[in-house]
Amino acid sequence: MTIGSNITTFAGLPVRRFEHSRRDRRDGPARGDKAAWRIGDYDDDEQKLAETLDRLLATVGAHNVTALVVGVWGEPMSEPPPLHLLTARRDQLTELRALFIGEMTFEECEISWINQGEYAPLLGAFPALEVLHIRGGGGLSLAPVRHRRLRELHVEAGGLPAAFLRGFNDSSFPALADLELWLGTQEYGGDAVVDDLTPIMNGTELPALKRLALRNAEIADDVAGAVAAAPVVARLEHLDLSLGALSDAGAEALLLGQPLTHLRSLDLSHHFMSPDMAARFAEELPGVRVDVSDEQTIDEDGFRYISVAE
């Protein structure tokens, strides 16, 4: 899998690109238009990005900006995103509910090259934020924070730092219903081990969680083994272990663990299971929407690869 095209919808809204020089175009956005507005392009340094954001707020009305998608900023391979541009406008962006930072294609910047930053100040500045998507794991961190409204957190990475997980574990997200983490590979900074997931697996601090996605994991077999006994699974509706290096060993542990028949969906796509093992999931979970598509082949060196690394 490659990240080869920009998203067209976000947070239930169509994504519309707001360009720095578009204010004089007759077909441009108007005050009151509803969209997930995308800003950021190849040559957008911090000043230009700030000007584009201010022009967006003035054009459509700051109170109408409920969803924002930030693409390329300056040099994402060496600079973290200028999150302070958003926090400095917290008093204008009072209706902001959904935010995607780092929505870039691989032509714009490989996922493993995207530098991120510290997200606690941003979450503190926007207590009404409900959806946060982050792409890129380099330098990603989260100091402990309490956020009462966030219900969806997705982090896409070729390697998710264990430090970010530790910060997440020490934080409080009582409304979080959808958690998606791309664990990635150690080669690209994914140094988390399955023990780093224990607080998530216990679920004590995630009372609202209904969807858990631990995707793109080099340690998919270890994750599957932990999920097999994880208390949080009993109240999930959707479980996603896709895009990773799941083999028959992890699959067997998952099937021999706690019942999964209560799930609405189980996504194991992009896997290294044998056909017989993959077929067992459909047979043993007849009421669950199971996805075991995209079967992979172990290479001649016995290597199993994740879907998105570089």
Side-chain angles (χ1 to χ4, degrees):
M1 174 181 174
T2 55
I3 299 174
S5 59
N6 294 120
I7 57 174
T8 58
T9 62
F10 177 57
L13 293 168
V15 174
R16 292 183 62 185
R17 183 186 295 270
F18 188 90
E19 298 175 3
H20 181 270
S21 59
R22 197 172 181 176
R23 61 179 174 178
D24 296 325
R25 290 182 54 178
R26 294 182 180 179
D27 62 344
R31 181 167 290 272
D33 281 1
K34 293 292 185 182
W37 297 104
R38 187 183 193 279
I39 61 173
D41 215 332
Y42 284 111
D43 58 350
D44 283 0
D45 58 21
E46 184 174 316
Q47 180 178 348
K48 190 172 181 181
L49 196 60
E51 292 172 356
T52 303
L53 180 56
D54 287 337
R55 187 168 295 161
L56 169 66
L57 301 182
T59 301
V60 304
H63 63 284
N64 291 314
V65 179
T66 61
L68 193 60
V69 177
V70 180
V72 183
W73 59 83
E75 296 291 338
M77 290 181 286
S78 58
E79 301 172 0
L83 301 179
H84 61 277
L85 297 182
L86 299 173
T87 58
R89 292 159 176 78
R90 59 189 297 178
D91 293 336
Q92 295 172 271
L93 290 164
T94 56
E95 300 302 316
L96 186 66
R97 297 294 181 268
L99 181 61
F100 193 149
I101 302 291
E103 204 284 299
M104 308 175 201
T105 68
F106 66 87
E107 291 98 343
E108 292 168 318
C109 189
E110 296 281 2
I111 191 170
S112 62
W113 299 352
I114 301 173
N115 267 292
Q116 282 291 345
E118 168 58 52
Y119 272 80
L122 182 132
L123 287 166
F126 295 98
L129 195 69
E130 297 177 358
V131 177
L132 176 61
H133 288 199
I134 301 168
R135 182 172 293 162
L140 180 64
S141 61
L142 180 68
V145 63
R146 178 171 178 80
H147 198 286
R148 296 179 180 273
R149 295 285 296 278
L150 195 71
R151 57 178 176 80
E152 180 175 309
L153 174 63
H154 291 188
V155 182
E156 303 174 1
L160 186 67
F164 176 85
L165 275 175
R166 289 192 288 269
F168 176 86
N169 292 335
D170 291 336
S171 298
S172 177
F173 297 100
L176 195 66
D178 183 345
L179 175 62
E180 178 171 323
L181 303 173
W182 294 22
L183 300 178
T185 174
Q186 190 168 10
E187 182 180 1
Y188 290 105
D191 57 349
V193 296
V194 73
D195 286 348
D196 294 314
L197 300 170
T198 297
I200 296 172
M201 298 290 189
N202 289 339
T204 306
E205 300 300 320
L206 298 170
L209 197 66
K210 296 298 181 185
R211 177 178 180 265
L212 176 60
L214 300 171
R215 309 179 75 194
N216 202 45
E218 185 176 51
I219 59 170
D221 282 349
D222 293 339
V223 172
V227 165
V232 73
V233 172
R235 52 184 169 82
L236 295 179
E237 296 179 0
H238 306 280
L239 177 62
D240 187 339
L241 305 180
S242 66
L243 306 183
L246 184 69
S247 73
D248 279 1
E252 182 77 16
L254 198 58
L255 283 170
L256 293 177
Q258 63 186 302
L260 300 174
T261 52
H262 65 287
L263 293 173
R264 295 175 59 185
S265 69
L266 173 64
D267 191 345
L268 304 175
S269 58
H270 185 280
H271 61 84
F272 293 83
M273 294 183 287
S274 65
D276 287 345
M277 179 61 72
R280 284 180 58 187
F281 281 93
E283 294 168 359
E284 298 187 25
L285 304 173
V288 181
R289 186 170 70 252
V290 177
D291 187 348
V292 290
S293 62
D294 200 14
E295 177 185 349
Q296 303 295 312
T297 302
I298 300 175
D299 69 16
E300 58 185 14
D301 296 322
F303 182 71
R304 292 178 283 124
Y305 49 88
I306 62 175
S307 181
V308 181
E310 190 174 18

